[in-house]
Amino acid sequence: MTPELTASLAGDWDELLQDSVSATPFQSRAWVEALLAESHGRARLILIREGEDLIGLFPVRLSFRGWRTARSFGVGPSDYLHPLAR
């Protein structure tokens, strides 16, 4: 995940955050970009589009303990990172 990629999503991401009734500050672009920067290459951003419209976004981190898994970046109740969707 590169800063250029997240920057290219800025307008769509901010609009999605504003339109989502269940959005939290932990799903904001600024918060997730900080997590992605510290992920040491283990981060992925799952995007869901309908045509050109961004309708869902889910940041995950990859884990390699015995088998590959993709898990939410959320850590306990402090930063709840469920998928962001319209």
Side-chain angles (χ1 to χ4, degrees), residues 5-83:
L5 178 60
T6 56
S8 73
L9 296 169
D12 291 339
W13 191 329
D14 294 342
E15 183 180 317
L16 181 61
L17 185 71
Q18 184 178 17
D19 290 350
S20 177
V21 296
S22 62
T24 70
F26 304 112
Q27 294 164 305
S28 71
R29 191 168 36 91
W31 185 271
V32 174
E33 283 177 337
L35 291 176
L36 294 173
E38 296 299 320
S39 71
H40 308 289
R42 294 185 309 254
R44 297 296 183 269
L45 196 55
I46 298 171
L47 304 175
I48 303 157
R49 293 191 177 272
E50 186 173 86
E52 293 294 316
D53 298 330
L54 182 65
I55 62 169
L57 183 143
F58 190 34
V60 296
R61 62 184 160 86
L62 301 180
S63 176
F64 304 102
R65 294 190 180 130
W67 56 84
R68 294 181 123 182
T69 59
R71 299 175 189 256
S72 170
F73 261 108
V75 178
S78 65
D79 51 346
Y80 182 63
L81 285 173
H82 59 281

